[in-house]
Amino acid sequence: MMTEKVSPSNTTLNFTVDPNYSGKNLPGWFLMNTFLQRHLGQVMHFQPQDDFDSGRAAVLSGNYDLVYANPFDWVQYQQKLGFLPIVKPQNHFDEVYLCAPAAGTIQHAEDFPERIRIASAHPSTLVHMVGLFLMDKADIDRARLDFVFTGSYQGVLKALLQGQADLGFLFNEVYNSASKLIRERLRVIDQSDDAFAFHAFCVGPRLLPQRELLTDLLTGMDQEPRGKNLLEDLGFSGFEAVTEDEIACLASLADEYISGHEAIDIRATSSLAVEDSAFVVAREDPEGGTN
């Protein structure tokens, strides 16, 4: 059983999570906030974010102390604000499924059309990066890709199901948690299996003095009934500590991608002509679908 430990600080802490997670199980994250408050003995304010851009901007403004962040984001928070990743989900890594509509004609890379419409949540995510690597592995010239950025992984699903994209870069957790009916309407063309990238709880400068307490608290959740129930609600089996080697490895990869692949103008590296229209931003329609 975890023992409750009270911090002497009266500072109000601010907590947020990756928009993909808050959008999927918002009540569960409010319960997590309550759980953390009780065990830390401090007031903690949970504020969900609507999308990747607003989530990053909110944290980078310096107003947050605890973030459950995707790999690309926590690397930024570590480098720019001094955040420290402390725990990650057990036996849970960020992978990418390259999906096509099952009703379509695409079954293999050889079936890709000359111009390939690809739905992706956001260009500055590890899922997008790995998706590009999957296309590279299939020897696909990036100048053939027309990106539809949906703002969320649910938006990628909608774009595929509504015929607005030929392929989609889909976060493995979103695919695996989708209903059987939805999965049957998709065809997995390829998938990553790298087991190196992960979301993580990250503590900011004001919370760093309590990182050991918070690490023990989160890694011990599966050892007591309330914590175990909360983990199940959030879809996790438990958390484990992040190592320095893991942080260094992922930070190096993100830096290489950001400074390399994202900085390259494919017009200068491809043999094909690329028009500005190849880069499309789609916004989710609350009434259903993207536009």
Side-chain angles (χ1 to χ4, degrees):
M1 296 287 292
M2 284 187 294
T3 58
E4 300 204 8
K5 301 179 181 180
V6 178
S7 166
S9 174
N10 293 319
T11 302
T12 298
L13 302 173
N14 294 310
F15 170 41
T16 192
V17 302
D18 181 281
N20 175 62
Y21 282 86
S22 60
K24 182 176 62 176
N25 191 351
L26 190 57
W29 287 103
F30 274 105
L31 291 174
M32 171 64 88
N33 184 70
T34 300
F35 179 87
L36 294 171
Q37 284 188 102
R38 182 174 67 249
H39 286 280
L40 291 175
Q42 287 186 238
V43 176
M44 182 174 289
H45 175 67
F46 174 67
Q47 179 63 54
Q49 305 297 330
D50 294 331
D51 53 51
F52 290 109
D53 288 329
S54 63
R56 289 191 185 105
V59 177
L60 291 173
S61 70
N63 294 324
Y64 284 86
D65 305 287
L66 179 65
V67 186
Y68 184 70
N70 68 64
F72 260 28
D73 283 358
W74 66 246
V75 168
Q76 289 190 58
Y77 304 153
Q78 178 200 20
Q79 295 176 344
K80 297 179 180 180
L81 300 176
F83 272 72
L84 179 67
I86 57 170
V87 302
K88 64 177 183 177
Q90 292 176 352
N91 305 314
H92 191 96
F93 293 95
D94 291 11
E95 303 290 358
V96 181
Y97 283 39
L98 180 62
C99 294
T105 60
I106 297 177
Q107 298 190 34
H108 309 284
E110 293 78 10
D111 303 321
F112 293 166
E114 182 59 28
R115 306 282 327 160
I116 310 169
R117 298 173 302 163
I118 297 188
S120 180
H122 196 285
S124 296
T125 61
L126 181 130
V127 168
H128 185 74
M129 178 197 80
V130 176
L132 288 177
F133 290 165
L134 291 176
M135 299 301 287
D136 291 344
K137 187 179 73 171
D139 293 326
I140 302 300
D141 191 321
R142 292 191 186 183
R144 294 172 57 189
L145 312 181
D146 295 343
F147 296 109
V148 179
F149 295 114
T150 66
S152 74
Y153 299 117
Q154 293 300 324
V156 173
L157 275 177
K158 290 179 183 178
L160 287 169
L161 297 178
Q162 295 178 1
Q164 297 174 344
D166 304 305
L167 298 170
F169 295 161
L170 201 56
F171 183 27
N172 63 321
E173 183 169 310
V174 172
Y175 177 88
N176 292 330
S177 64
S179 68
K180 180 181 178 182
L181 178 63
I182 289 178
R183 292 197 304 272
E184 288 176 345
R185 295 176 62 188
L186 299 174
R187 178 179 292 119
V188 177
I189 306 301
D190 199 358
Q191 65 188 83
S192 67
D193 188 22
D194 300 314
F196 71 89
F198 49 85
H199 281 60
F201 273 99
C202 307
V203 296
R206 291 198 302 174
L207 195 52
L208 280 175
Q210 295 173 277
R211 64 184 181 276
E212 291 185 7
L213 169 61
L214 191 54
T215 298
D216 290 343
L217 173 61
L218 291 168
T219 57
M221 287 182 68
D222 58 347
Q223 301 301 312
E224 60 104 358
R226 286 178 297 181
K228 191 170 184 178
N229 289 338
L230 181 52
L231 285 169
E232 292 175 357
D233 288 342
L234 293 174
F236 300 122
S237 60
F239 294 108
E240 61 187 15
V242 176
T243 68
E244 292 184 3
D245 286 345
E246 288 174 326
I247 295 173
C249 177
L250 203 46
S252 177
L253 181 66
D255 285 344
E256 179 182 354
Y257 175 69
I258 292 170
S259 63
H261 292 274
E262 285 291 272
I264 293 174
D265 185 340
I266 60 175
R267 294 174 179 84
T269 61
S270 172
S271 60
L272 302 179
V274 185
E275 301 294 334
D276 289 338
S277 60
F279 303 94
V280 180
V281 176
R283 299 300 181 196
E284 284 190 86
D285 179 355
E287 299 302 321
T290 59
N291 54 51

CSV table of all heavy atoms in Angstrom, one decimal, residues 71-72 88 91-98 126-135 137 170-172 190-198 246 249-250 253:
chain,number,residue,atom,x,y,z
A,71,PRO,N,6.4,11.9,-27.1
A,71,PRO,CA,7.9,12.0,-27.2
A,71,PRO,C,8.4,13.3,-27.8
A,71,PRO,O,9.4,13.9,-27.2
A,71,PRO,CB,8.2,10.8,-28.1
A,71,PRO,CG,7.1,9.9,-28.0
A,71,PRO,CD,5.9,10.7,-27.8
A,72,PHE,N,7.9,13.8,-28.9
A,72,PHE,CA,8.4,15.0,-29.4
A,72,PHE,C,8.3,16.2,-28.5
A,72,PHE,O,9.1,17.1,-28.4
A,72,PHE,CB,7.8,15.3,-30.8
A,72,PHE,CG,8.6,14.9,-32.0
A,72,PHE,CD1,9.5,13.9,-31.9
A,72,PHE,CD2,8.5,15.6,-33.2
A,72,PHE,CE1,10.3,13.5,-33.0
A,72,PHE,CE2,9.2,15.2,-34.3
A,72,PHE,CZ,10.1,14.2,-34.2
A,88,LYS,N,7.1,6.3,-17.4
A,88,LYS,CA,6.4,6.0,-18.7
A,88,LYS,C,5.5,4.8,-18.5
A,88,LYS,O,5.7,4.1,-17.5
A,88,LYS,CB,7.5,5.7,-19.8
A,88,LYS,CG,8.3,4.4,-19.4
A,88,LYS,CD,9.3,4.1,-20.5
A,88,LYS,CE,10.0,2.8,-20.2
A,88,LYS,NZ,10.9,2.3,-21.2
A,91,ASN,N,5.4,-1.5,-20.6
A,91,ASN,CA,5.2,-2.4,-21.8
A,91,ASN,C,4.3,-1.6,-22.8
A,91,ASN,O,3.4,-2.2,-23.4
A,91,ASN,CB,4.5,-3.7,-21.4
A,91,ASN,CG,5.3,-4.4,-20.3
A,91,ASN,OD1,6.5,-4.6,-20.4
A,91,ASN,ND2,4.6,-4.9,-19.3
A,92,HIS,N,4.6,-0.4,-23.0
A,92,HIS,CA,3.8,0.4,-23.9
A,92,HIS,C,4.7,1.4,-24.7
A,92,HIS,O,5.2,2.3,-24.1
A,92,HIS,CB,2.7,1.2,-23.1
A,92,HIS,CG,1.7,1.8,-23.9
A,92,HIS,ND1,0.4,1.2,-24.1
A,92,HIS,CD2,1.6,3.0,-24.6
A,92,HIS,CE1,-0.3,2.0,-24.9
A,92,HIS,NE2,0.4,3.1,-25.2
A,93,PHE,N,4.7,1.2,-26.0
A,93,PHE,CA,5.6,2.1,-26.8
A,93,PHE,C,4.7,2.7,-27.9
A,93,PHE,O,3.7,2.2,-28.3
A,93,PHE,CB,6.7,1.3,-27.4
A,93,PHE,CG,7.7,0.9,-26.4
A,93,PHE,CD1,7.6,-0.4,-25.9
A,93,PHE,CD2,8.7,1.7,-25.9
A,93,PHE,CE1,8.6,-0.9,-25.0
A,93,PHE,CE2,9.7,1.2,-25.0
A,93,PHE,CZ,9.6,0.0,-24.5
A,94,ASP,N,5.2,3.9,-28.4
A,94,ASP,CA,4.5,4.6,-29.5
A,94,ASP,C,5.0,4.0,-30.8
A,94,ASP,O,6.1,4.1,-31.2
A,94,ASP,CB,4.9,6.1,-29.4
A,94,ASP,CG,4.2,6.8,-28.3
A,94,ASP,OD1,3.7,6.1,-27.3
A,94,ASP,OD2,4.3,8.0,-28.2
A,95,GLU,N,4.0,3.4,-31.5
A,95,GLU,CA,4.3,2.8,-32.8
A,95,GLU,C,3.3,3.4,-33.8
A,95,GLU,O,2.4,4.1,-33.4
A,95,GLU,CB,4.2,1.3,-32.8
A,95,GLU,CG,5.0,0.6,-31.8
A,95,GLU,CD,6.5,0.6,-32.1
A,95,GLU,OE1,6.9,1.2,-33.2
A,95,GLU,OE2,7.3,0.1,-31.3
A,96,VAL,N,3.5,3.1,-35.1
A,96,VAL,CA,2.7,3.7,-36.1
A,96,VAL,C,2.2,2.7,-37.1
A,96,VAL,O,2.9,1.7,-37.5
A,96,VAL,CB,3.6,4.7,-37.0
A,96,VAL,CG1,2.7,5.4,-38.1
A,96,VAL,CG2,4.2,5.8,-36.1
A,97,TYR,N,0.9,2.8,-37.4
A,97,TYR,CA,0.3,1.9,-38.4
A,97,TYR,C,0.1,2.7,-39.6
A,97,TYR,O,-0.5,3.8,-39.6
A,97,TYR,CB,-1.1,1.4,-37.9
A,97,TYR,CG,-1.0,0.3,-36.9
A,97,TYR,CD1,0.0,0.2,-35.9
A,97,TYR,CD2,-1.9,-0.8,-36.9
A,97,TYR,CE1,0.0,-0.8,-34.9
A,97,TYR,CE2,-1.9,-1.8,-36.0
A,97,TYR,CZ,-0.9,-1.8,-35.0
A,97,TYR,OH,-0.9,-2.8,-34.1
A,98,LEU,N,0.5,2.2,-40.7
A,98,LEU,CA,0.3,2.8,-42.0
A,98,LEU,C,-1.0,2.2,-42.6
A,98,LEU,O,-1.0,1.0,-43.0
A,98,LEU,CB,1.4,2.6,-43.0
A,98,LEU,CG,1.3,3.2,-44.4
A,98,LEU,CD1,1.2,4.7,-44.3
A,98,LEU,CD2,2.5,2.9,-45.2
A,126,LEU,N,6.1,12.4,-33.4
A,126,LEU,CA,6.9,11.2,-33.7
A,126,LEU,C,6.1,10.3,-34.6
A,126,LEU,O,6.7,9.6,-35.5
A,126,LEU,CB,7.2,10.5,-32.4
A,126,LEU,CG,8.1,9.2,-32.7
A,126,LEU,CD1,9.3,9.2,-31.8
A,126,LEU,CD2,7.3,8.0,-32.4
A,127,VAL,N,4.8,10.2,-34.5
A,127,VAL,CA,4.0,9.4,-35.4
A,127,VAL,C,4.2,9.8,-36.9
A,127,VAL,O,4.3,9.0,-37.8
A,127,VAL,CB,2.5,9.4,-35.0
A,127,VAL,CG1,1.6,8.8,-36.1
A,127,VAL,CG2,2.3,8.7,-33.7
A,128,HIS,N,4.2,11.1,-37.1
A,128,HIS,CA,4.4,11.6,-38.5
A,128,HIS,C,5.8,11.2,-38.9
A,128,HIS,O,6.0,10.8,-40.1
A,128,HIS,CB,4.2,13.1,-38.5
A,128,HIS,CG,4.3,13.7,-39.9
A,128,HIS,ND1,3.3,13.5,-40.8
A,128,HIS,CD2,5.3,14.4,-40.5
A,128,HIS,CE1,3.7,14.1,-42.0
A,128,HIS,NE2,4.9,14.7,-41.8
A,129,MET,N,6.8,11.4,-38.1
A,129,MET,CA,8.2,11.1,-38.4
A,129,MET,C,8.3,9.6,-38.8
A,129,MET,O,8.9,9.3,-39.8
A,129,MET,CB,9.1,11.4,-37.2
A,129,MET,CG,10.6,11.1,-37.5
A,129,MET,SD,11.6,11.0,-36.0
A,129,MET,CE,11.1,9.4,-35.4
A,130,VAL,N,7.8,8.7,-38.0
A,130,VAL,CA,8.0,7.3,-38.2
A,130,VAL,C,7.1,6.9,-39.5
A,130,VAL,O,7.6,6.1,-40.2
A,130,VAL,CB,7.5,6.5,-37.0
A,130,VAL,CG1,7.6,5.0,-37.3
A,130,VAL,CG2,8.4,6.8,-35.8
A,131,GLY,N,6.0,7.6,-39.7
A,131,GLY,CA,5.2,7.3,-40.9
A,131,GLY,C,6.0,7.6,-42.1
A,131,GLY,O,6.0,6.9,-43.1
A,132,LEU,N,6.8,8.7,-42.1
A,132,LEU,CA,7.6,9.1,-43.2
A,132,LEU,C,8.7,8.0,-43.4
A,132,LEU,O,9.1,7.7,-44.6
A,132,LEU,CB,8.3,10.5,-43.0
A,132,LEU,CG,7.3,11.7,-43.1
A,132,LEU,CD1,8.1,13.0,-42.8
A,132,LEU,CD2,6.7,11.8,-44.5
A,133,PHE,N,9.3,7.5,-42.3
A,133,PHE,CA,10.3,6.5,-42.4
A,133,PHE,C,9.7,5.2,-43.1
A,133,PHE,O,10.4,4.5,-43.8
A,133,PHE,CB,10.9,6.2,-41.1
A,133,PHE,CG,11.7,7.3,-40.5
A,133,PHE,CD1,12.1,7.3,-39.2
A,133,PHE,CD2,12.2,8.3,-41.3
A,133,PHE,CE1,12.9,8.3,-38.6
A,133,PHE,CE2,13.0,9.3,-40.8
A,133,PHE,CZ,13.4,9.3,-39.4
A,134,LEU,N,8.4,4.9,-42.8
A,134,LEU,CA,7.8,3.7,-43.4
A,134,LEU,C,7.7,4.0,-44.9
A,134,LEU,O,7.9,3.0,-45.7
A,134,LEU,CB,6.4,3.5,-42.8
A,134,LEU,CG,6.4,3.0,-41.3
A,134,LEU,CD1,5.0,2.9,-40.8
A,134,LEU,CD2,7.1,1.7,-41.2
A,135,MET,N,7.4,5.2,-45.3
A,135,MET,CA,7.3,5.5,-46.7
A,135,MET,C,8.6,5.4,-47.4
A,135,MET,O,8.8,4.9,-48.5
A,135,MET,CB,6.7,6.9,-46.9
A,135,MET,CG,5.2,7.0,-46.4
A,135,MET,SD,4.1,5.9,-47.1
A,135,MET,CE,3.9,6.6,-48.8
A,137,LYS,N,11.0,3.5,-46.4
A,137,LYS,CA,11.4,2.1,-46.5
A,137,LYS,C,10.7,1.4,-47.7
A,137,LYS,O,11.3,0.5,-48.3
A,137,LYS,CB,10.9,1.3,-45.2
A,137,LYS,CG,11.3,-0.1,-45.1
A,137,LYS,CD,10.8,-0.7,-43.8
A,137,LYS,CE,9.3,-1.0,-43.9
A,137,LYS,NZ,8.9,-1.8,-42.7
A,170,LEU,N,-1.3,6.4,-38.4
A,170,LEU,CA,-2.2,6.2,-37.2
A,170,LEU,C,-1.4,5.7,-36.0
A,170,LEU,O,-0.6,4.8,-36.1
A,170,LEU,CB,-3.3,5.2,-37.6
A,170,LEU,CG,-4.5,5.3,-36.7
A,170,LEU,CD1,-5.2,6.7,-36.7
A,170,LEU,CD2,-5.5,4.3,-37.2
A,171,PHE,N,-1.5,6.4,-34.9
A,171,PHE,CA,-1.0,6.1,-33.6
A,171,PHE,C,-1.5,4.7,-33.3
A,171,PHE,O,-2.7,4.4,-33.3
A,171,PHE,CB,-1.3,7.1,-32.6
A,171,PHE,CG,-0.8,6.9,-31.2
A,171,PHE,CD1,0.4,6.3,-31.0
A,171,PHE,CD2,-1.4,7.5,-30.1
A,171,PHE,CE1,1.0,6.1,-29.7
A,171,PHE,CE2,-0.9,7.3,-28.8
A,171,PHE,CZ,0.3,6.7,-28.7
A,172,ASN,N,-0.6,3.8,-32.9
A,172,ASN,CA,-1.0,2.4,-32.6
A,172,ASN,C,-2.0,2.3,-31.6
A,172,ASN,O,-2.9,1.4,-31.6
A,172,ASN,CB,0.2,1.5,-32.3
A,172,ASN,CG,0.9,1.9,-31.0
A,172,ASN,OD1,1.1,3.1,-30.7
A,172,ASN,ND2,1.4,1.0,-30.2
A,190,ASP,N,1.5,-1.4,-43.4
A,190,ASP,CA,2.8,-1.6,-42.8
A,190,ASP,C,2.7,-1.0,-41.4
A,190,ASP,O,1.8,-0.3,-41.0
A,190,ASP,CB,3.9,-0.8,-43.6
A,190,ASP,CG,5.3,-1.4,-43.2
A,190,ASP,OD1,5.4,-2.3,-42.4
A,190,ASP,OD2,6.3,-0.9,-43.8
A,191,GLN,N,3.6,-1.3,-40.5
A,191,GLN,CA,3.7,-0.8,-39.2
A,191,GLN,C,5.1,-0.9,-38.6
A,191,GLN,O,5.9,-1.7,-39.0
A,191,GLN,CB,2.7,-1.6,-38.3
A,191,GLN,CG,3.1,-3.1,-38.1
A,191,GLN,CD,2.1,-3.9,-37.3
A,191,GLN,OE1,1.1,-4.4,-37.9
A,191,GLN,NE2,2.3,-4.0,-36.0
A,192,SER,N,5.3,0.1,-37.7
A,192,SER,CA,6.6,0.1,-37.0
A,192,SER,C,6.6,-0.9,-35.9
A,192,SER,O,5.6,-1.2,-35.3
A,192,SER,CB,7.0,1.5,-36.6
A,192,SER,OG,6.1,1.9,-35.5
A,193,ASP,N,7.8,-1.3,-35.5
A,193,ASP,CA,8.0,-2.2,-34.3
A,193,ASP,C,9.3,-1.9,-33.7
A,193,ASP,O,10.1,-2.8,-33.5
A,193,ASP,CB,7.9,-3.7,-34.8
A,193,ASP,CG,7.8,-4.6,-33.6
A,193,ASP,OD1,7.4,-4.2,-32.5
A,193,ASP,OD2,8.2,-5.8,-33.8
A,194,ASP,N,9.5,-0.6,-33.3
A,194,ASP,CA,10.8,-0.2,-32.9
A,194,ASP,C,11.0,-0.3,-31.3
A,194,ASP,O,12.1,-0.4,-30.8
A,194,ASP,CB,11.1,1.3,-33.3
A,194,ASP,CG,11.1,1.4,-34.8
A,194,ASP,OD1,11.7,0.6,-35.5
A,194,ASP,OD2,10.4,2.3,-35.3
A,195,ALA,N,9.9,-0.1,-30.6
A,195,ALA,CA,9.9,-0.2,-29.1
A,195,ALA,C,10.9,0.7,-28.5
A,195,ALA,O,11.7,0.3,-27.7
A,195,ALA,CB,10.1,-1.6,-28.7
A,196,PHE,N,11.0,2.0,-28.9
A,196,PHE,CA,11.9,2.9,-28.3
A,196,PHE,C,11.3,4.2,-27.9
A,196,PHE,O,11.8,4.9,-27.0
A,196,PHE,CB,13.1,3.2,-29.3
A,196,PHE,CG,12.7,4.1,-30.4
A,196,PHE,CD1,12.7,5.4,-30.4
A,196,PHE,CD2,12.2,3.5,-31.6
A,196,PHE,CE1,12.4,6.2,-31.4
A,196,PHE,CE2,11.9,4.3,-32.7
A,196,PHE,CZ,11.9,5.6,-32.6
A,197,ALA,N,10.2,4.6,-28.5
A,197,ALA,CA,9.5,5.9,-28.2
A,197,ALA,C,8.3,5.7,-27.2
A,197,ALA,O,7.6,4.7,-27.3
A,197,ALA,CB,9.1,6.6,-29.4
A,198,PHE,N,8.1,6.7,-26.4
A,198,PHE,CA,7.1,6.6,-25.4
A,198,PHE,C,6.6,7.9,-24.9
A,198,PHE,O,7.4,8.9,-24.9
A,198,PHE,CB,7.6,5.8,-24.2
A,198,PHE,CG,8.9,6.2,-23.6
A,198,PHE,CD1,9.0,7.3,-22.7
A,198,PHE,CD2,10.1,5.6,-24.0
A,198,PHE,CE1,10.2,7.7,-22.2
A,198,PHE,CE2,11.3,6.1,-23.6
A,198,PHE,CZ,11.4,7.1,-22.6
A,246,GLU,N,17.4,6.3,-22.0
A,246,GLU,CA,16.2,6.4,-22.8
A,246,GLU,C,16.0,7.9,-23.2
A,246,GLU,O,15.6,8.2,-24.4
A,246,GLU,CB,15.0,5.9,-22.1
A,246,GLU,CG,15.0,4.3,-22.0
A,246,GLU,CD,13.9,3.8,-21.1
A,246,GLU,OE1,13.5,4.5,-20.1
A,246,GLU,OE2,13.4,2.7,-21.4
A,249,CYS,N,18.6,8.9,-25.9
A,249,CYS,CA,18.3,8.3,-27.2
A,249,CYS,C,17.2,9.0,-27.9
A,249,CYS,O,17.4,9.3,-29.1
A,249,CYS,CB,18.0,6.8,-27.0
A,249,CYS,SG,17.6,5.9,-28.5
A,250,LEU,N,16.1,9.2,-27.3
A,250,LEU,CA,15.0,9.8,-27.9
A,250,LEU,C,15.2,11.3,-28.2
A,250,LEU,O,14.8,11.8,-29.3
A,250,LEU,CB,13.7,9.7,-27.0
A,250,LEU,CG,12.4,9.7,-27.8
A,250,LEU,CD1,12.4,8.9,-29.0
A,250,LEU,CD2,11.3,9.3,-26.8
A,253,LEU,N,17.3,11.4,-31.4
A,253,LEU,CA,16.5,11.1,-32.6
A,253,LEU,C,15.6,12.3,-33.0
A,253,LEU,O,15.5,12.6,-34.2
A,253,LEU,CB,15.6,9.8,-32.3
A,253,LEU,CG,14.8,9.4,-33.5
A,253,LEU,CD1,15.6,8.9,-34.7
A,253,LEU,CD2,13.8,8.3,-33.1
